[in-house]
Amino acid sequence: MRKALLGAVFATALGAGAADAATIKVGVIAPFSGPFAMFGQTFKEGIAVYQAVHGKTVGADTVEFVFKDLDQANPAQSKALAQELIVKEKVSFLAGFAFTPDAMAVAPLIDEANIPAVIFNAATSAITEKSPRFVRSSFTLWQNTVPLANHVAKLGVKKAITAVSDYGPGIDGEAAFKATFEKAGGAVVDTIRMPLKSTDFAPFMQRIKDSGAEAVYAFLPAGPTTLAFAKAFADNGLKEKGIQFFGPGDITQEPDLPALGDAVLGMTTSFHYSQAHESAANKSFLAKYKELFGSSDNATFTSVGAYDGVHLIYTMLAKTGGKSDGLKAVEAVKGLSWESPRGPVTIDPDSRHIRQTIYLRTVERVNGKLQNTEKDAFPAQPDFGYKLGK
Ligand code: PHB
């Protein structure tokens, strides 16, 4: 009904009918091959679920997604792919971006072409400061880490250590944890930064053991990295030593839970989406997922980031009418609120980042299957890292 009305307004504004219907292209840059292919796959699944529910048209226009594979963090290649999408494919939007450096790299291109870029995952606070045409439907490390660090302090932990991948989101996670935990009276006894490509975590486990910390806060990109780190934590006897393990929910994302197994049973993480989130919106999201793909086991934060990201693109199109000024399109979603499968969300008009509930969740086995059970909720959390120290 609302969509039909907007469509009618759009058609009238152009003074045209179906004959002028256009195809609006959205270029999606993400890993579709290699160890991080789950990002691309779940982006694609989230997009498909959205289009299955809401259709492939906005007004008279058809929305088409064009996918480009970028298997790992590679800003030069991201820029080249964005250039190709803008010049050859004539896309009206860019979207996707698993890794922070790949999102950062396209800022000058989206400004030059005056098109919006919707970030489905990359989670370093500074991204949206690089261009007024960035809008983010995912999360930031600051947003997830502040409630978690307060929780760790409340548990009575006095000494903690951080272990993060040495790039944007890891450095943000470390800063957020340290600032919040120390303000709450705790001490961060050491900060470990691990190369993004690390696969052997045993030396870091030794450093954690030797530090005297009672708890570790860790961030690594979801996938083989988090799997290897969690396994190393279990295999190197840190749990037996009584060291508690915390982090944002990238570590326990649903597609990885079967492989992680008991290594993460009982682990508390903070995050914006759990497959086990109890709401009507999540139930119908998962039902559609299952209908399209035979199972909803892959439904994870990146599927929801893409699903909500497409909602932003559709809203920009409906409100501004087809291929338009990128800045105007972004303006049209500032302050937009809706019910996501993750819970209620709003696009913060200043940061263009998504405000949302952050949940504390514990990994439990329910009916034989591991899940992230939500235990506590912190509504309407902003990006605490936006323009920090600027
Ligand atoms: C990022 O590069 O911003 C990033 C990558 C993987 C994650 C989270 C953030 O799981």
Side-chain angles (χ1 to χ4, degrees):
M1 174 71 187
R2 189 176 140 261
K3 224 173 80 187
L5 189 69
L6 283 166
V9 169
F10 174 40
T12 316
L14 287 177
D20 283 336
T23 296
I24 303 285
K25 286 190 182 176
V26 181
V28 180
I29 297 174
F32 293 98
S33 65
F36 293 100
M38 186 58 81
F39 280 96
Q41 186 183 332
T42 51
F43 285 170
K44 242 184 190 168
E45 290 169 356
I47 292 166
V49 173
Y50 192 88
Q51 291 204 304
V53 175
H54 299 275
K56 292 192 172 169
T57 56
V58 179
D61 294 337
T62 302
V63 184
E64 185 188 303
F65 289 85
V66 183
F67 298 96
K68 292 281 175 202
D69 183 17
L70 181 58
D71 68 338
Q72 57 183 313
N74 182 343
Q77 183 63 7
S78 179
K79 217 169 166 177
L81 291 174
Q83 185 80 22
E84 192 184 326
L85 285 164
I86 293 167
V87 176
K88 284 206 196 130
E89 297 283 349
K90 308 221 177 319
V91 298
S92 303
F93 296 87
L94 284 182
F97 304 105
F99 293 101
T100 288
D102 301 335
M104 296 267 199
V106 306
L109 296 183
I110 60 171
D111 283 343
E112 197 187 307
N114 192 18
I115 61 168
V118 180
I119 313 271
F120 290 173
N121 181 68
T124 302
S125 289
I127 295 172
T128 61
E129 297 166 30
K130 299 287 173 205
S131 164
R133 292 166 182 85
F134 277 131
V135 187
R136 176 160 39 204
S137 58
S138 53
F139 70 105
T140 68
L141 269 298
W142 269 96
Q143 189 176 35
N144 272 286
T145 302
V146 167
L148 181 63
N150 281 323
H151 170 71
V152 176
K154 275 207 191 105
L155 290 175
V157 173
K158 297 282 176 239
K159 285 197 231 166
I161 184 166
T162 59
V164 300
S165 291
D166 190 6
Y167 79 121
I171 292 162
D172 271 9
E174 175 193 290
F177 188 86
K178 191 169 159 60
T180 313
F181 187 64
E182 295 198 334
K183 198 170 161 204
V188 171
V189 295
D190 197 1
T191 54
I192 302 175
R193 292 184 181 178
M194 306 171 287
L196 185 52
K197 294 207 161 129
S198 301
T199 51
D200 177 14
F201 294 103
F204 303 118
M205 294 303 151
Q206 194 56 49
R207 202 165 140 193
I208 294 170
K209 267 199 232 172
D210 294 345
S211 72
E214 303 148 69
V216 58
Y217 163 90
F219 167 81
L220 302 96
T225 23
T226 42
L227 272 169
F229 187 90
K231 289 266 181 225
F233 187 90
D235 295 348
N236 285 271
L238 278 79
K239 211 171 179 176
E240 287 75 40
K241 211 171 175 255
I243 300 171
Q244 298 182 71
F245 183 16
F246 298 97
D250 311 67
I251 297 172
T252 63
Q253 71 152 335
E254 285 76 4
D256 292 335
L257 281 175
L260 285 161
D262 290 349
V264 292
L265 196 58
M267 180 175 180
T268 294
T269 58
S270 58
F271 225 30
H272 53 294
Y273 180 69
S274 164
Q275 210 183 83
H277 177 63
E278 288 190 19
S279 74
N282 191 38
K283 227 176 174 173
S284 59
F285 171 74
L286 293 174
K288 190 53 87 176
Y289 219 104
K290 194 164 178 194
E291 186 190 315
L292 293 182
F293 303 108
S295 157
S296 55
D297 288 354
N298 272 356
T300 182
F301 67 109
T302 43
S303 333
V304 172
Y307 181 87
D308 288 325
V310 180
H311 181 62
L312 288 171
I313 292 168
Y314 272 42
T315 307
M316 289 191 235
L317 281 170
K319 286 193 170 180
T320 64
K323 189 171 167 23
S324 76
D325 181 321
L327 272 185
K328 264 196 208 148
V330 169
E331 204 58 43
V333 294
K334 286 185 178 173
L336 185 76
S337 296
W338 71 100
E339 174 76 18
S340 157
R342 66 186 97 174
V345 296
T346 298
I347 297 299
D348 186 304
D350 297 323
S351 68
R352 286 159 281 112
H353 173 70
I354 195 159
R355 267 179 191 259
Q356 56 196 335
T357 304
I358 299 301
Y359 307 88
L360 288 177
R361 316 96 48 82
T362 302
V363 178
E364 292 178 344
R365 198 180 291 281
V366 177
N367 299 326
K369 194 178 157 195
L370 292 174
Q371 67 169 45
N372 293 296
T373 310
E374 291 171 358
K375 300 288 184 186
D376 206 352
F378 301 85
Q381 299 294 289
D383 174 15
F384 299 105
Y386 181 65
K387 287 198 172 161
L388 208 71
K390 295 230 167 96

